[in-house]
Amino acid sequence: MRRLFSSMLRRSATVSGLLVKTMLRTLPALLRLRARTHRSFSSRLREKDLTALISVRAESIESAFALRAGLVSAVSMPTARETADVHLIFSDSATLLELLAEPDNFLGQLNALKNFRVDVRGEDHLVQWFLETLKQLFASTKSLDYGTRMTDGSHRYVNNTNGGPVFVYVRDGRILRITPIEFDETDGASWTIRARGRSFTPPRKGTVNPYVLGLRSLIYSKDRLLYPMKRVDFDPRGERHCGNRGVSGYQRISWDEALDIVAAEIRRVKIDHGPGAIMNSCGSHHTWGNIGYWLSARTRFMNSIGSSQVVHNPDSWEGWYWGAMHHWGNSIRNGASDTYGTVEDCLQEAEMIVFWSSDPESTSGVYGAFEGTLRRQWAKSLGIKMVHIDPYYNHTAALLGGKWIAPRPDTGSAMALAIAWVWITEGLYDKDYVAARTTGFELWRDYVLGTSDGITKTPEWQEAETKVPARVVRALARQWGSRKTYLSPGGLAGFGGACRCATGIEWARSMVCLMAMQGLGKPGVNMGCLQQGAPVDTHFYFPGYAEGGMSGDLDNTGLRVSLYQRMPQLPSMNPVSQVIPRLRIPEAILGESCEGYPTDPKSIEGQFRRFGYPAPGHAPVHLYYKYGGSHFGTMADSNRYARAYRSDKLEFVVNQSIWFEGEAKFADILLPACTNFERWDIGETANSGGYSHHQFIQWNHRIITLQHKCIEPLGESRSDYQIFLALAERLGLGNIFSEAMTELDWCRRLFTASDLPTRTSWKKFFKKGYYVVPAPAEANRAPVSWRWFAEGREKDVPELAPLPGDYKNRWRRGLQTQSGKLEFEASSLKRFAPDDPERPPLPTFIPSWEGHHCRELYSRYPLNLISPHPRYSFHTMFDGKDSILCDVKDHRVLLDGYYYWIVRINSDDAAARGIGHNGLVRMFNDRGEVILAAHPTDRLPPGTVQSPEGSAIYEPLGEPGRSPDRGGCINVLTPSRNIISRSHSTASNSCLVQIELWDKRDIS
Amino acid sequence: MKKYAFIIDIGKCENCQNCFLSCKDEHCGNAWPGYSRPQPLHGQRWLDILQKERGSFPLIDVAYLPKPCMHCDQAPCVAAGDGVVYQRQDGIVIIDPDKARGRRDLVSSCPHGAIFWNEEEGVAQKCTLCAHLLDGGWKAPRCVQSCPTGALVLFYGPEEELRKRIAQERLQILPAAQDGPGRPRCYYKNLYRYSRCFLAGSLAEQVSGVEECVIGARLVLQRGDEVIGEQLSDDFGDFKFDDLPDDRADCELVILLGEKEVKRQTVTLSNGQSVGTIRINR
């Protein structure tokens, strides 16, 4: 019908021209009528005074009118042509009518725009306002109701977080409480797994991480930024006093002043220095949602203004990305494993789970809340044995029990090699599988046995490295070699602190080799710890945040895979090709040249393309647009960042932040952003898109949320979208940024692009706030990962990887490696750098460059510090800010009025230093010093100390960047060196320190 | 008559703090008229989580004990309150938020430290079992709702049913509460993980020139003539006798391979240690 209509219009220009002429002539009358019948529309018309001109070139139609104080009046054409504030231009009447007939045909609009069949002129904010007004002219005025009214008069809304979806109870515009979601009888059905004569079904609710329950106190935190601020001694037209950053105070300014300064600085550095001078950086995570996310609105804005992109190292994956990938492919997962169907397989078949550097009870995989906990409790009840290899007696070990094996940190593949030695010498490996599905085993065998290098990798040999008794490793190897065993390296299959240290690459590689020896993919032999692999519906499409939302970025998000076709949008190509390795931000600011290797999951070889900074013909960084304050608490050797901030070379720093914390205190201008509870967004729990394909299989149910705007933004804070839009308007990029849509418009557009409209209506979804995707029929559950490979079949798991061109024999046959098999010796490394002593093609034992083999350093700093992810915050996001999380005894400790971060130390090591429970200590090395509260414990071996990363508070006791930090930023101590030269990687768990009691008189 | 009680399984508590935090989310800054004044942002622990680390490296375990107001029958706070504190028919003990102004003395009336003084509000306050929610139709208080492991359970039923469960599941009240005053309505499962000690160790022996774990050895723990426990060493040669008194008593540990006694040693029962590695000769 539509096609008929438009072809008719196209054929007869006379008819369409007549139609348009009539319509445009009646437009002023329609506006008046609407204003008379709808009070809200009449007050809208009073918002702006403008003259509007609409012209159609082909038929020479022109129509104009003026708005003055809410009244619509005629304007003469010559006047209109000269004074029009908004000018809409159409190539022909048919185009105009087509676009009008289908307001939701975004592809049609974009095509018309790209071919200049439609154009707009005028100030962005006026154009945006005018288009929105025209939309409202025809829209239904019935405002849709959202949320659920409760019997006590409060309203219950829905929102989403890094730690699970939530109900938000609001009364009188104030949040009363935030709780986990409990399903009702109309929500999608749950699955049931049958294993060993029992049935397992998850409860009808979602879980949440502890920090989610601290959110209300974080939203209303006294550390919220409520107004735009300017550093008191910063004058963009005079003295900037860059050296005072981190010390000077702030004064409140208006939004207009703040935005004018930022827009002017963006213009200025582009003119003064040329492309590349603007750098933007944000944390790896953000407040939840597909529209407001950093990979969405922020990316579109930063691309639109042209800026140097800060590229992230694969910091959760390191060893997997730079190491394991070369042996089994999986580049799309940054070298980690897929885990489809593993909950069912593990419960039905496995006899043992080896958790290796794996603490899902603390890290929740990522975004997994406590969904996996119940499944592990089921495994325990079925008698599946558990082994926990971790220097720290972690919370998973404490909850589930089993054998705890505590190696010295950063000893890489030593224990794995000894396990392989036992298997080889005692014949405890799958010889048929090795023969049929792997290559290079002989080289690995010869290395393990010592025939190639003269060192037999016996359990006794590893004991000197790990301090784990040889007999324990022998016993473990024998059990593992004779039981169907799941290996969980990291809380997801392919994370773990052991992959983030100097020996992390060799460790991750050895994990693949061990599983290659045990028949990866056979029943009960697989990767994971029940954290992932729930049998939810993987055939239902809803985008994850890394699919780029409204970013328009086809190069640096996953947009082009699925979402771009479903949600056509203006592409936002960044004209600046300069990129900056995130771990080298300080050096980049100081004008030093540096290099990096990309995080490119497209192919195994993506990581080999070295890049340099500054890029050819580009300017070094002079303007830093920072989102949030996280880097001190999360990036290595973080005093570097404080020192760089205080350099004159950095002419301007703007920080868009929700809270006044961390790096925000080093900005010249502060733009107060609101939380996702104060704006609209849309997102599925744990769906991160390309960052970990089908990540939602951690959840027992797929929960997709319309993230209600629960309260108005606090103070003068605004959503990121609104802030970017306001800046874009000042730069003449407003309509390019917004496509003349509101955040809620974008939510609806994304809803329509997903599979949701096949199951529910926008109205229903908007009101209820969430949709639970029903469990699929058993026949539609995803098959078990690796099973196809073990059985020599076509790949049958639901992932679009590797790329078709990366298969060797034919599509869906074999792995991404050159041989298509599991490779003990990696062909990709043989091609790239066969003689690299840091990463030889065959995995080997390479001692840490900051460990006990470094005699001189070790004599001064005899303690190995491990800094895992914090349990009671998500990186820095939920820490500090005077929230109720400060009261969690194992998060921070209140001593003499200050909430100190905690370091855990073996009780003998503590006693030898005279340190008691909650004693204040200084932990230090050549890089810096942090003041902490000590918790002596036997959860660590002697010589190892544990203190998580993630402090949001950076409080140098003297000059920033050169004095002890009382806030607890452990990364002040960690090395900024790459794990290996040919990488861009962090080795945060290679960190030698010393600890002493702290004498408070040291505060000068 | 149905009454409420807490049933808390120490074996399932992993210190996630969801209970502690959801309690604060509900009560900090929120007044629930008739039930409670707002809890201050910091300092009070209406539901405190205690922890106990047992053994010594590397043979240890850790237990967590969530401790709310136990809503005691014949509660000492009710006795001390002169009508300010009362127990409802459903078992919930409430400090009247209006009448308790200035009643700082109530804090010390609770032997379990469950009552707090709110300086700003000038009122004594404590866990209300989220009675404002239960009365509004909620099935559980916030702490129970947010518990992901099933460690916290709210019981609501007749007293006979509760007594049956206490017997069947070997539920206990805190040892400190055993001799009164007051009879707590908070029962713990697997309390021994917190309140009792264990004896753990590893067995090793030399075989063909290397050290091996001794798997399947029979261990007998005796106190005088009484056998306290008997078990086989596990796949790593480890053993663990649990639920023992922490009374520093000397016991005899006898190790047998088959029927043959290969070692006998005296051990002291105490919380802070394990016996480490015992090397045996066949």
Side-chain angles (χ1 to χ4, degrees), chain A residues 216 403 483 872 882 937-938, chain B residues 15 25 28 42 53 235:
Chain A
R216 187 171 66 91
K403 178 65 175 176
R483 287 178 182 149
Y872 303 105
D882 195 38
T937 178
D938 275 31
Chain B
N15 196 35
D25 179 60
C28 292
H42 300 298
E53 196 177 297
D235 292 337

Side-chain angles (χ1 to χ4, degrees), chain A residues 169 174 176-180 182 207-210 213 216-217 361 370 373 377 385 387 393 395 398-399 403-404 406 460 471-472 474-476 478-479 483 871-872 882-885 887-890 899 937-942, chain B residues 11-12 14-18 20-22 24-26 28-30 32 41-43 45 48-51 53 55-58 60-62 64 133 138 142 145-146 148-149 193 202-204 210-213 235-236 238 277 279:
Chain A
Y169 293 75
R174 194 178 148 273
L176 285 180
R177 70 174 69 86
I178 297 178
T179 79
E182 290 176 333
T207 53
V208 293
N209 277 105
L213 297 161
R216 187 171 66 91
S217 67
E361 295 305 327
F370 291 98
T373 306
Q377 287 176 322
K385 296 202 182 297
V387 175
Y393 183 76
H395 294 278
L399 175 66
K403 178 65 175 176
W404 173 42
E460 279 69 19
R471 70 170 197 281
V472 173
R474 242 190 308 278
L476 169 63
R478 286 174 187 151
Q479 291 168 53
R483 287 178 182 149
R871 193 180 197 206
Y872 303 105
D882 195 38
S883 88
I884 57 173
L885 288 150
D887 285 43
V888 170
K889 288 174 183 169
D890 285 295
Y899 287 100
T937 178
D938 275 31
R939 300 177 77 151
L940 288 159
Chain B
K12 287 183 178 170
E14 59 164 321
N15 196 35
C16 76
Q17 301 273 344
N18 274 13
F20 171 72
L21 290 164
S22 58
K24 291 186 85 72
D25 179 60
E26 185 66 26
C28 292
N30 282 338
W32 303 114
L41 192 58
H42 300 298
R45 298 178 186 279
D48 197 8
I49 302 176
L50 311 177
Q51 57 179 282
E53 196 177 297
S56 57
F57 177 82
I60 66 159
D61 69 9
V62 182
Y64 303 97
L133 295 178
W138 285 51
R142 291 289 307 275
Q145 186 205 33
S146 65
T149 64
R193 290 274 310 270
S202 300
L203 301 183
V210 295
E211 195 175 67
E212 296 281 12
C213 299
D235 292 337
F236 288 95
D238 295 342
T277 303
R279 296 190 161 77

Side-chain angles (χ1 to χ4, degrees), chain A residues 459-652:
Chain A
E460 279 69 19
W461 166 80
Q462 71 78 43
E463 186 169 340
E465 297 300 330
T466 67
K467 295 193 190 170
V468 173
R471 70 170 197 281
V472 173
V473 173
R474 242 190 308 278
L476 169 63
R478 286 174 187 151
Q479 291 168 53
W480 191 340
S482 53
R483 287 178 182 149
K484 289 186 281 184
T485 299
Y486 261 64
L487 170 62
S488 173
L492 290 176
F495 275 2
C499 82
R500 286 185 289 279
C501 56
T503 59
I505 292 176
E506 296 307 300
W507 172 75
R509 301 174 73 189
S510 73
M511 294 296 105
V512 178
C513 293
L514 290 184
M515 291 310 282
M517 290 179 75
Q518 290 302 327
L520 175 62
K522 289 189 162 186
V525 181
N526 222 309
M527 309 298 296
C529 59
L530 300 160
Q531 181 62 26
Q532 297 191 104
V536 293
D537 191 349
T538 54
H539 303 293
F540 183 89
Y541 179 78
F542 188 86
Y545 67 65
E547 286 175 71
M550 58 159 296
S551 68
D553 189 326
L554 298 169
D555 298 325
N556 301 299
T557 74
L559 189 63
R560 62 182 163 190
V561 180
S562 298
L563 188 57
Y564 190 54
Q565 299 85 310
R566 290 165 167 264
M567 191 169 92
Q569 53 188 290
L570 278 178
S572 70
M573 293 170 79
N574 188 350
V576 176
S577 54
Q578 172 163 281
V579 292
I580 297 159
R582 182 164 65 180
L583 294 167
R584 304 288 161 255
I585 287 175
E587 289 76 18
I589 289 173
L590 296 174
E592 297 168 21
S593 57
C594 54
E595 64 171 39
Y597 288 81
T599 304
D600 176 1
K602 193 171 73 179
S603 68
I604 294 176
E605 289 72 26
Q607 61 176 265
F608 294 154
R609 279 180 292 109
R610 195 185 74 86
F611 63 88
Y613 167 89
H618 282 69
V621 165
H622 292 288
L623 184 159
Y624 191 7
Y625 197 125
K626 179 74 180 67
Y627 188 90
S630 65
H631 287 353
F632 290 134
T634 55
M635 294 287 117
D637 192 0
S638 42
N639 273 330
R640 290 182 303 145
Y641 292 78
R643 294 194 294 267
Y645 267 118
R646 293 156 63 81
S647 158
D648 285 335
K649 289 186 174 156
L650 190 56
E651 295 165 6
F652 181 63

